[in-house]
Amino acid sequence: MTADSSDPNRQTQQVVVVGGGLAGIAAALAIARQGLRVSLYESRPRLGGRASFVEDRASGDLIDNCQHVSMGCCVNFQQLCRWADADPHLVEESRLHFIARDGKVNPLRAAWLPAPMHLLPSFLSLSYLTLSEKGRLMLGLRKLLQTPRMPGDDFAEFLKLCRQPESLIERFWKPVLVSALSEDLERISYRYARQVFCQGFFENRQGWTVQLLNCSLGYFYDHLLTSALTRHQVEIHLNDAVKKIEITPPDSVSQGSRVCSLKLASGKIITAADFVVAVPPWRVGSLFEPDVLTNITSQAAQFETAPIASVHLWFDRPITTLRHAVLMDRVSQWMFNRTAILTHQDQSTPAGWSCYQVVISNARELKNEEGESAGRKSSEQIIEQVVRELAEIWPEVKHAELKHARLITDQRAVFSPLPMIDQIRPHQQTEIPNLQLAGDWTETGWPATMEGAVRSGFLAARNILRQRGLPSEIMASELPAGKLSRILIARSGPADL
Ligand SMILES: Cc1cc2nc3c(=O)[nH]c(=O)nc-3n(C[C@H](O)[C@H](O)[C@H](O)COP(=O)(O)OP(=O)(O)OC[C@H]3O[C@@H](n4cnc5c(N)ncnc54)[C@H](O)[C@@H]3O)c2cc1C
């Protein structure tokens, strides 16, 4: 495709990527590594999309919008980190701490047993489950591993069929799945719930380990990923929203249709040979004329979303030495000790302050930062409740001075992994040969995660590279299932409930 050289508003690239979240970044880097010229257009003043950071004036920090957790099984996110020399910043946590209502700390760690048995001793020692609940849990887990599919793809239905008691659902299934998928158990696809346990916890001894960046997301994007992109000559255009994607012929998609150009909000026209659109589902519709690609835009319009809230707290002293903890039977779900986690000093937190972040997934009961609304709690009430809950666990909170606190809620943090969601997740290759989609919501086989976003970007890039006959071995190898896992975890076949 050549630019109209007489028009100074027209620019040509080989590949244009729309959206600078992890999906767009992954696509841009994967393509540019093969020597193609890539331009990335992002409407916001920074990269990162939903896994991003905000300026906090009171503390002087660029704070992550929310602690982002990766796992051992997130192999493509790790691949992106390697490409950006960010892998030394990804620190593995070899144990988790589940803190019961009475304050007892239950460590979750891998025993010497082979997968999928390695976590069972920890599950069986959970102090807040009764013997009979542990028995039901073992039956439920066994059934889950043996049942690859459920009619209707409804996880709540599975829990009923396996007769999992309400108390066990509240103290085991819910904390694990709400953290992973950020949805009510009544609104979760069986396939994705099972994936959390099979691929995450059981198939391989490494899959479940939590991985946390020891640097801020600000440093991750502004230094590590930006350096990797610019090293491969990706042109990054921030504050440069794409307004329309122009298709020829203009009114309908037929054989031979192509995307010919993008119109930016600034009025500039950008032409390219290939396009990757890596925006969230609620932005896709506005990029196309109403009558084109209606299958994709109507699928995108059907996605529902769930909120995640994070309470950022700065105390005048440390309140715990734990790096992180899962809090049971409380509004607060996860505590992250940011001062301990961020060993790479790229923050300007005042000396002596200790920073903690408490994450509340599926935060529908909570409200956003704008003020009190009927029937919901104000930011101050939520912060007070979280501080009270931390004080019940760590008495040092009662002696500490809370220097500063901030609630950040993203109302559209993740798409809801509803039963049968796969039916509306579009493939990266659209019916227009030179138009790829990317984004955590596209067909990746993963829920809304950093891994899902990176996978989607790699898949879109792979399509483009293959079409050009360039090396396209981008996808990282999955963690291999252990020998015993291959026997005990069913891979396919009809539901056998
Ligand atoms: C609070 C919160 C906590 C989370 N916690 C975790 C976690 O612990 N672990 C995990 O794995 N995942 C987590 N996630 C999910 C994860 O952040 C997302 O799944 C992932 O970042 C999505 O990336 P994406 O590139 O698909 O989309 P996005 O990040 O939404 O990126 C899309 C980009 O497109 C840009 N854009 C939109 N329209 C235009 C336009 N017209 N022109 C140009 N640019 C445009 C947007 O500004 C945005 O930057 C969390 C998300 C949130 C919000």
Side-chain angles (χ1 to χ4, degrees):
M1 183 101 12
T2 52
D4 175 356
S5 53
S6 62
D7 182 351
N9 277 336
R10 285 183 92 85
Q11 288 188 353
T12 299
Q13 289 293 333
Q14 283 177 319
V15 183
V16 166
V17 177
V18 183
L22 281 167
I25 292 171
L29 194 52
I31 296 165
R33 281 167 59 89
Q34 296 307 324
L36 299 185
R37 276 180 65 204
V38 181
S39 276
L40 177 69
Y41 288 88
E42 165 55 49
S43 55
R44 295 196 203 168
R46 59 179 70 105
L47 295 176
R50 276 170 282 152
S52 193
F53 51 99
V54 293
E55 193 184 338
D56 182 68
R57 294 219 179 89
S59 64
D61 280 350
L62 276 181
I63 54 173
D64 294 4
N65 62 339
C66 188
Q67 174 72 56
H68 271 69
V69 174
S70 184
M71 286 173 71
C73 55
C74 298
V75 291
N76 288 286
F77 179 68
Q78 290 156 22
Q79 171 101 305
L80 181 71
C81 289
R82 273 193 297 280
W83 286 354
D85 300 326
D87 46 329
H89 293 280
L90 207 50
V91 176
E92 187 176 291
E93 307 288 330
S94 55
R95 69 166 68 185
L96 301 181
H97 308 96
F98 285 72
I99 302 194
R101 180 77 225 168
D102 62 6
K104 187 166 184 337
V105 180
N106 292 261
L108 181 73
R109 58 183 161 228
W112 56 269
L113 295 165
M117 317 300 255
H118 54 296
L119 294 176
L120 292 188
S122 285
F123 287 158
L124 289 171
S125 329
L126 290 173
S127 68
Y128 48 85
L129 297 183
T130 64
L131 206 56
S132 110
E133 285 167 345
K134 286 174 188 168
R136 298 300 321 172
L137 175 61
M138 290 306 117
L139 290 176
L141 286 174
R142 199 182 71 178
K143 202 72 185 158
L144 187 74
L145 300 192
Q146 290 172 347
T147 312
R149 282 192 287 272
M150 271 286 291
D153 193 31
D154 186 342
F155 186 68
E157 201 51 38
F158 170 83
L159 291 175
K160 264 191 229 149
L161 286 166
C162 289
R163 294 200 197 86
Q164 298 292 288
E166 203 47 48
S167 55
L168 180 59
I169 294 176
E170 280 300 314
R171 298 213 182 113
F172 183 82
W173 297 105
K174 204 165 157 184
V176 173
L177 289 173
V178 170
S179 303
L181 301 174
S182 196
E183 248 310 344
D184 287 337
L185 294 195
E186 292 69 36
R187 289 167 51 83
I188 286 183
S189 143
Y190 177 77
R191 179 199 164 160
Y192 289 105
R194 183 173 189 267
Q195 185 192 30
V196 170
F197 285 97
C198 290
Q199 202 167 352
F201 281 1
F202 291 127
E203 274 180 8
N204 179 291
R205 284 176 58 84
Q206 293 303 314
W208 72 283
T209 54
V210 157
Q211 300 186 338
L212 303 173
L213 284 170
N214 73 358
C215 59
S216 65
L217 284 175
Y219 185 80
F220 182 58
Y221 292 108
D222 287 355
H223 293 269
L224 300 169
L225 284 170
T226 299
S227 303
L229 290 165
T230 45
R231 221 170 26 246
H232 291 283
Q233 274 91 46
V234 176
E235 280 181 20
I236 305 171
H237 302 266
L238 300 176
N239 276 320
D240 222 346
V242 171
K243 200 169 168 200
K244 275 283 175 267
I245 295 174
E246 290 164 343
I247 292 169
T248 172
D251 299 326
S252 64
V253 173
S254 54
Q255 220 181 2
S257 289
R258 295 191 65 78
V259 174
C260 51
S261 57
L262 296 180
K263 186 167 187 191
L264 300 180
S266 62
K268 216 179 229 178
I269 305 288
I270 308 294
T271 58
D274 283 288
F275 297 81
V276 180
V277 172
V279 302
W282 55 91
R283 290 268 176 265
V284 167
S286 65
L287 293 179
F288 297 97
E289 292 302 337
D291 295 338
V292 299
L293 291 171
T294 47
N295 51 346
I296 288 172
T297 54
S298 71
Q299 281 173 324
Q302 292 173 52
F303 274 76
E304 296 181 31
T305 56
I308 300 180
S310 55
V311 176
H312 304 247
L313 302 166
W314 288 261
F315 290 103
D316 66 346
R317 68 193 73 184
I319 60 160
T320 172
T321 52
L322 288 185
R323 290 163 62 80
H324 44 76
V326 185
L327 313 182
M328 307 302 299
D329 293 325
R330 291 184 161 86
V331 165
S332 314
Q333 294 165 1
W334 277 78
M335 178 284 296
F336 293 97
N337 180 343
R338 297 286 292 166
T339 303
I341 292 166
L342 293 183
T343 50
H344 183 269
Q345 289 304 328
D346 56 75
Q347 296 286 295
S348 44
T349 314
W353 288 23
S354 289
C355 180
Y356 300 84
Q357 215 185 87
V358 171
V359 177
I360 306 168
S361 296
N362 185 24
R364 288 206 175 80
E365 301 306 311
L366 308 179
K367 53 151 278 308
N368 60 26
E369 286 171 291
E370 269 81 62
E372 203 159 351
S373 63
R376 292 187 183 173
K377 292 177 177 166
S378 67
S379 300
E380 292 71 30
Q381 286 172 319
I382 294 163
I383 290 167
E384 267 172 34
Q385 175 158 6
V386 165
V387 172
R388 207 170 40 244
E389 289 182 344
L390 296 189
E392 285 165 11
I393 301 169
W394 295 292
E396 195 58 28
V397 174
K398 293 180 196 137
H399 309 295
E401 186 188 341
L402 181 62
K403 292 291 205 180
H404 175 48
R406 182 163 175 184
L407 169 71
I408 300 179
T409 307
D410 189 326
Q411 297 293 343
R412 293 192 289 201
V414 293
F415 70 80
S416 301
L418 300 174
M420 312 302 275
I421 185 81
D422 283 349
Q423 292 187 345
I424 57 165
R425 295 182 77 175
H427 198 264
Q428 287 74 34
Q429 176 65 66
T430 68
E431 61 204 273
I432 300 181
N434 71 337
L435 176 63
Q436 305 288 329
L437 287 181
D440 60 359
W441 61 287
T442 60
E443 191 187 309
T444 63
W446 274 67
T449 48
M450 298 189 288
E451 171 69 12
V454 171
R455 267 177 200 246
S456 73
F458 284 176
L459 288 166
R462 188 172 73 175
N463 292 340
I464 292 175
L465 296 173
R466 273 188 183 158
Q467 284 164 13
R468 290 167 177 253
L470 291 167
S472 58
E473 298 309 311
I474 303 169
M475 308 306 294
S477 309
E478 304 293 350
L479 290 180
K483 264 190 201 155
L484 195 57
S485 300
R486 288 202 293 276
I487 298 168
L488 297 180
I489 304 179
R491 299 236 132 216
S492 58
D496 56 359
L497 274 169

